[in-house]
Amino acid sequence: MIKTRQDLVEYIKADKIVNGYRERSITKEKLKGNIENAFMMQLLIALREFEYATNNNQRFIGKVRYLYYKHKYYKLRMKVGIHIDANVFGKGLKLVHQGYIWVGASSKIGENCTILPRVLIGKKRPGLPVPCVSIGNNCYIGTGTTILGPVTIGNNVTIGANSLVINDLPDNCVVGGVPAKVLKIKDK
């Protein structure tokens, strides 16, 4: 959770590294022709700023900052069709392409996760306890995946395209299908 300016800097730095922005700026990426990558990085920075403002809006200046970053983030996410609630992802989030992604506030997702388009992560029904979906670190979620909680997914899990995850998954596995089943256990 991003509570301080230092946390904000660390989260943005981790997101930039995962997305391949070690020393380059977003403007340089646009000039090189990588407009989609630059736009996705802008969205991630706006998300992190919105998370920071959400967690620090007790005083008047915090409320003004919150409204500004909320507007900025909502405007960007409407352009690309991505809805990610605040304080869901850990450091190092990678969104590969623009396209429909919905991650509800009932989710808690670890560090260094990659998500492709057409992914839905949420509850099976209203009224379930939060976090309803818990996903570990270093997970890869393929295109068209639906994850409906309550479910717990371990660390280092690869979820194949067009999978439906409704059951808990162990660490270090590759899963796929409707409903998703463990296809392979990864070597450690």
Side-chain angles (χ1 to χ4, degrees), residues 75-94:
K75 188 176 172 183
L76 281 171
R77 82 177 197 187
M78 293 303 281
K79 285 184 180 178
V80 294
I82 293 176
H83 172 88
I84 299 174
D85 283 328
N87 301 315
V88 172
F89 283 94
K91 298 176 187 173
L93 171 60
K94 182 172 185 176

PDB file of all heavy atoms in Angstrom, residues 75-94:
ATOM      1  N   LYS A  75      -9.934   9.448 -16.285  1.00  0.00           N
ATOM      2  CA  LYS A  75      -9.902   9.882 -17.684  1.00  0.00           C
ATOM      3  C   LYS A  75      -9.038   8.942 -18.528  1.00  0.00           C
ATOM      4  O   LYS A  75      -9.443   8.525 -19.622  1.00  0.00           O
ATOM      5  CB  LYS A  75      -9.353  11.304 -17.740  1.00  0.00           C
ATOM      6  CG  LYS A  75      -9.425  11.958 -19.080  1.00  0.00           C
ATOM      7  CD  LYS A  75      -8.941  13.397 -18.977  1.00  0.00           C
ATOM      8  CE  LYS A  75      -8.806  14.023 -20.333  1.00  0.00           C
ATOM      9  NZ  LYS A  75      -8.269  15.376 -20.251  1.00  0.00           N
ATOM     10  N   LEU A  76      -7.860   8.562 -18.020  1.00  0.00           N
ATOM     11  CA  LEU A  76      -6.982   7.651 -18.759  1.00  0.00           C
ATOM     12  C   LEU A  76      -7.585   6.253 -18.863  1.00  0.00           C
ATOM     13  O   LEU A  76      -7.531   5.620 -19.915  1.00  0.00           O
ATOM     14  CB  LEU A  76      -5.611   7.569 -18.082  1.00  0.00           C
ATOM     15  CG  LEU A  76      -4.661   8.710 -18.350  1.00  0.00           C
ATOM     16  CD1 LEU A  76      -3.437   8.614 -17.448  1.00  0.00           C
ATOM     17  CD2 LEU A  76      -4.231   8.722 -19.808  1.00  0.00           C
ATOM     18  N   ARG A  77      -8.159   5.765 -17.768  1.00  0.00           N
ATOM     19  CA  ARG A  77      -8.668   4.395 -17.810  1.00  0.00           C
ATOM     20  C   ARG A  77      -9.884   4.265 -18.719  1.00  0.00           C
ATOM     21  O   ARG A  77     -10.128   3.195 -19.280  1.00  0.00           O
ATOM     22  CB  ARG A  77      -8.938   3.877 -16.411  1.00  0.00           C
ATOM     23  CG  ARG A  77     -10.221   4.276 -15.807  1.00  0.00           C
ATOM     24  CD  ARG A  77     -10.400   3.649 -14.452  1.00  0.00           C
ATOM     25  NE  ARG A  77     -11.808   3.731 -14.100  1.00  0.00           N
ATOM     26  CZ  ARG A  77     -12.280   3.406 -12.946  1.00  0.00           C
ATOM     27  NH1 ARG A  77     -11.481   2.959 -12.007  1.00  0.00           N
ATOM     28  NH2 ARG A  77     -13.570   3.507 -12.706  1.00  0.00           N
ATOM     29  N   MET A  78     -10.657   5.322 -18.869  1.00  0.00           N
ATOM     30  CA  MET A  78     -11.792   5.280 -19.791  1.00  0.00           C
ATOM     31  C   MET A  78     -11.325   5.171 -21.233  1.00  0.00           C
ATOM     32  O   MET A  78     -11.989   4.550 -22.062  1.00  0.00           O
ATOM     33  CB  MET A  78     -12.682   6.507 -19.612  1.00  0.00           C
ATOM     34  CG  MET A  78     -13.394   6.560 -18.271  1.00  0.00           C
ATOM     35  SD  MET A  78     -14.402   5.116 -17.957  1.00  0.00           S
ATOM     36  CE  MET A  78     -15.816   5.506 -18.942  1.00  0.00           C
ATOM     37  N   LYS A  79     -10.177   5.774 -21.552  1.00  0.00           N
ATOM     38  CA  LYS A  79      -9.648   5.711 -22.918  1.00  0.00           C
ATOM     39  C   LYS A  79      -9.238   4.298 -23.305  1.00  0.00           C
ATOM     40  O   LYS A  79      -9.367   3.908 -24.458  1.00  0.00           O
ATOM     41  CB  LYS A  79      -8.442   6.640 -23.063  1.00  0.00           C
ATOM     42  CG  LYS A  79      -8.801   8.093 -23.128  1.00  0.00           C
ATOM     43  CD  LYS A  79      -7.567   8.929 -23.366  1.00  0.00           C
ATOM     44  CE  LYS A  79      -7.915  10.402 -23.422  1.00  0.00           C
ATOM     45  NZ  LYS A  79      -6.724  11.236 -23.614  1.00  0.00           N
ATOM     46  N   VAL A  80      -8.701   3.532 -22.349  1.00  0.00           N
ATOM     47  CA  VAL A  80      -8.175   2.212 -22.670  1.00  0.00           C
ATOM     48  C   VAL A  80      -9.070   1.062 -22.224  1.00  0.00           C
ATOM     49  O   VAL A  80      -8.798  -0.087 -22.538  1.00  0.00           O
ATOM     50  CB  VAL A  80      -6.757   2.015 -22.079  1.00  0.00           C
ATOM     51  CG1 VAL A  80      -5.765   2.928 -22.723  1.00  0.00           C
ATOM     52  CG2 VAL A  80      -6.758   2.180 -20.585  1.00  0.00           C
ATOM     53  N   GLY A  81     -10.150   1.351 -21.484  1.00  0.00           N
ATOM     54  CA  GLY A  81     -11.068   0.302 -21.059  1.00  0.00           C
ATOM     55  C   GLY A  81     -10.527  -0.561 -19.937  1.00  0.00           C
ATOM     56  O   GLY A  81     -10.843  -1.741 -19.850  1.00  0.00           O
ATOM     57  N   ILE A  82      -9.698   0.013 -19.083  1.00  0.00           N
ATOM     58  CA  ILE A  82      -9.111  -0.735 -17.975  1.00  0.00           C
ATOM     59  C   ILE A  82      -9.649  -0.174 -16.673  1.00  0.00           C
ATOM     60  O   ILE A  82      -9.559   1.018 -16.415  1.00  0.00           O
ATOM     61  CB  ILE A  82      -7.570  -0.644 -18.012  1.00  0.00           C
ATOM     62  CG1 ILE A  82      -7.044  -1.374 -19.252  1.00  0.00           C
ATOM     63  CG2 ILE A  82      -6.962  -1.219 -16.736  1.00  0.00           C
ATOM     64  CD1 ILE A  82      -5.556  -1.254 -19.440  1.00  0.00           C
ATOM     65  N   HIS A  83     -10.210  -1.052 -15.835  1.00  0.00           N
ATOM     66  CA  HIS A  83     -10.696  -0.643 -14.520  1.00  0.00           C
ATOM     67  C   HIS A  83      -9.923  -1.428 -13.469  1.00  0.00           C
ATOM     68  O   HIS A  83     -10.086  -2.645 -13.343  1.00  0.00           O
ATOM     69  CB  HIS A  83     -12.185  -0.932 -14.371  1.00  0.00           C
ATOM     70  CG  HIS A  83     -12.676  -0.713 -12.976  1.00  0.00           C
ATOM     71  ND1 HIS A  83     -13.111   0.508 -12.547  1.00  0.00           N
ATOM     72  CD2 HIS A  83     -12.749  -1.545 -11.913  1.00  0.00           C
ATOM     73  CE1 HIS A  83     -13.462   0.416 -11.274  1.00  0.00           C
ATOM     74  NE2 HIS A  83     -13.252  -0.825 -10.880  1.00  0.00           N
ATOM     75  N   ILE A  84      -9.068  -0.745 -12.739  1.00  0.00           N
ATOM     76  CA  ILE A  84      -8.336  -1.346 -11.626  1.00  0.00           C
ATOM     77  C   ILE A  84      -8.588  -0.459 -10.417  1.00  0.00           C
ATOM     78  O   ILE A  84      -8.277   0.727 -10.441  1.00  0.00           O
ATOM     79  CB  ILE A  84      -6.824  -1.437 -11.921  1.00  0.00           C
ATOM     80  CG1 ILE A  84      -6.571  -2.319 -13.143  1.00  0.00           C
ATOM     81  CG2 ILE A  84      -6.088  -1.975 -10.701  1.00  0.00           C
ATOM     82  CD1 ILE A  84      -5.131  -2.344 -13.595  1.00  0.00           C
ATOM     83  N   ASP A  85      -9.152  -1.029  -9.363  1.00  0.00           N
ATOM     84  CA  ASP A  85      -9.396  -0.266  -8.149  1.00  0.00           C
ATOM     85  C   ASP A  85      -8.082   0.003  -7.428  1.00  0.00           C
ATOM     86  O   ASP A  85      -7.092  -0.713  -7.604  1.00  0.00           O
ATOM     87  CB  ASP A  85     -10.361  -1.016  -7.226  1.00  0.00           C
ATOM     88  CG  ASP A  85     -11.798  -0.904  -7.696  1.00  0.00           C
ATOM     89  OD1 ASP A  85     -12.154   0.145  -8.274  1.00  0.00           O
ATOM     90  OD2 ASP A  85     -12.561  -1.857  -7.491  1.00  0.00           O
ATOM     91  N   ALA A  86      -8.086   1.022  -6.580  1.00  0.00           N
ATOM     92  CA  ALA A  86      -6.889   1.420  -5.840  1.00  0.00           C
ATOM     93  C   ALA A  86      -6.496   0.358  -4.815  1.00  0.00           C
ATOM     94  O   ALA A  86      -7.343  -0.351  -4.277  1.00  0.00           O
ATOM     95  CB  ALA A  86      -7.133   2.749  -5.141  1.00  0.00           C
ATOM     96  N   ASN A  87      -5.198   0.258  -4.571  1.00  0.00           N
ATOM     97  CA  ASN A  87      -4.614  -0.596  -3.535  1.00  0.00           C
ATOM     98  C   ASN A  87      -4.886  -2.079  -3.746  1.00  0.00           C
ATOM     99  O   ASN A  87      -5.125  -2.818  -2.796  1.00  0.00           O
ATOM    100  CB  ASN A  87      -5.094  -0.158  -2.148  1.00  0.00           C
ATOM    101  CG  ASN A  87      -4.727   1.271  -1.854  1.00  0.00           C
ATOM    102  OD1 ASN A  87      -3.605   1.691  -2.104  1.00  0.00           O
ATOM    103  ND2 ASN A  87      -5.681   2.031  -1.348  1.00  0.00           N
ATOM    104  N   VAL A  88      -4.857  -2.513  -4.992  1.00  0.00           N
ATOM    105  CA  VAL A  88      -5.071  -3.918  -5.309  1.00  0.00           C
ATOM    106  C   VAL A  88      -3.748  -4.614  -5.626  1.00  0.00           C
ATOM    107  O   VAL A  88      -3.500  -5.710  -5.162  1.00  0.00           O
ATOM    108  CB  VAL A  88      -6.051  -4.060  -6.499  1.00  0.00           C
ATOM    109  CG1 VAL A  88      -6.139  -5.488  -6.971  1.00  0.00           C
ATOM    110  CG2 VAL A  88      -7.418  -3.541  -6.116  1.00  0.00           C
ATOM    111  N   PHE A  89      -2.888  -3.970  -6.405  1.00  0.00           N
ATOM    112  CA  PHE A  89      -1.651  -4.585  -6.875  1.00  0.00           C
ATOM    113  C   PHE A  89      -0.441  -4.181  -6.050  1.00  0.00           C
ATOM    114  O   PHE A  89      -0.342  -3.053  -5.584  1.00  0.00           O
ATOM    115  CB  PHE A  89      -1.381  -4.181  -8.332  1.00  0.00           C
ATOM    116  CG  PHE A  89      -2.223  -4.920  -9.310  1.00  0.00           C
ATOM    117  CD1 PHE A  89      -3.415  -4.388  -9.755  1.00  0.00           C
ATOM    118  CD2 PHE A  89      -1.833  -6.157  -9.786  1.00  0.00           C
ATOM    119  CE1 PHE A  89      -4.205  -5.061 -10.657  1.00  0.00           C
ATOM    120  CE2 PHE A  89      -2.615  -6.846 -10.690  1.00  0.00           C
ATOM    121  CZ  PHE A  89      -3.801  -6.296 -11.123  1.00  0.00           C
ATOM    122  N   GLY A  90       0.511  -5.097  -5.940  1.00  0.00           N
ATOM    123  CA  GLY A  90       1.802  -4.797  -5.350  1.00  0.00           C
ATOM    124  C   GLY A  90       2.701  -4.137  -6.388  1.00  0.00           C
ATOM    125  O   GLY A  90       2.269  -3.782  -7.490  1.00  0.00           O
ATOM    126  N   LYS A  91       3.982  -3.983  -6.050  1.00  0.00           N
ATOM    127  CA  LYS A  91       4.951  -3.348  -6.954  1.00  0.00           C
ATOM    128  C   LYS A  91       5.142  -4.193  -8.208  1.00  0.00           C
ATOM    129  O   LYS A  91       5.018  -5.409  -8.186  1.00  0.00           O
ATOM    130  CB  LYS A  91       6.308  -3.212  -6.260  1.00  0.00           C
ATOM    131  CG  LYS A  91       6.304  -2.355  -5.051  1.00  0.00           C
ATOM    132  CD  LYS A  91       7.679  -2.374  -4.410  1.00  0.00           C
ATOM    133  CE  LYS A  91       7.646  -1.658  -3.093  1.00  0.00           C
ATOM    134  NZ  LYS A  91       8.909  -1.798  -2.362  1.00  0.00           N
ATOM    135  N   GLY A  92       5.505  -3.538  -9.304  1.00  0.00           N
ATOM    136  CA  GLY A  92       5.886  -4.245 -10.517  1.00  0.00           C
ATOM    137  C   GLY A  92       4.739  -4.761 -11.353  1.00  0.00           C
ATOM    138  O   GLY A  92       4.802  -5.865 -11.886  1.00  0.00           O
ATOM    139  N   LEU A  93       3.691  -3.996 -11.519  1.00  0.00           N
ATOM    140  CA  LEU A  93       2.554  -4.389 -12.353  1.00  0.00           C
ATOM    141  C   LEU A  93       2.881  -4.147 -13.820  1.00  0.00           C
ATOM    142  O   LEU A  93       3.383  -3.096 -14.186  1.00  0.00           O
ATOM    143  CB  LEU A  93       1.314  -3.586 -11.959  1.00  0.00           C
ATOM    144  CG  LEU A  93       0.083  -3.705 -12.857  1.00  0.00           C
ATOM    145  CD1 LEU A  93      -0.399  -5.150 -12.919  1.00  0.00           C
ATOM    146  CD2 LEU A  93      -1.013  -2.793 -12.370  1.00  0.00           C
ATOM    147  N   LYS A  94       2.591  -5.149 -14.647  1.00  0.00           N
ATOM    148  CA  LYS A  94       2.796  -5.005 -16.088  1.00  0.00           C
ATOM    149  C   LYS A  94       1.483  -5.271 -16.808  1.00  0.00           C
ATOM    150  O   LYS A  94       0.926  -6.362 -16.725  1.00  0.00           O
ATOM    151  CB  LYS A  94       3.869  -5.975 -16.586  1.00  0.00           C
ATOM    152  CG  LYS A  94       4.151  -5.823 -18.064  1.00  0.00           C
ATOM    153  CD  LYS A  94       5.332  -6.642 -18.506  1.00  0.00           C
ATOM    154  CE  LYS A  94       5.640  -6.350 -19.964  1.00  0.00           C
ATOM    155  NZ  LYS A  94       6.838  -7.040 -20.412  1.00  0.00           N
TER     156      LYS A  94
END
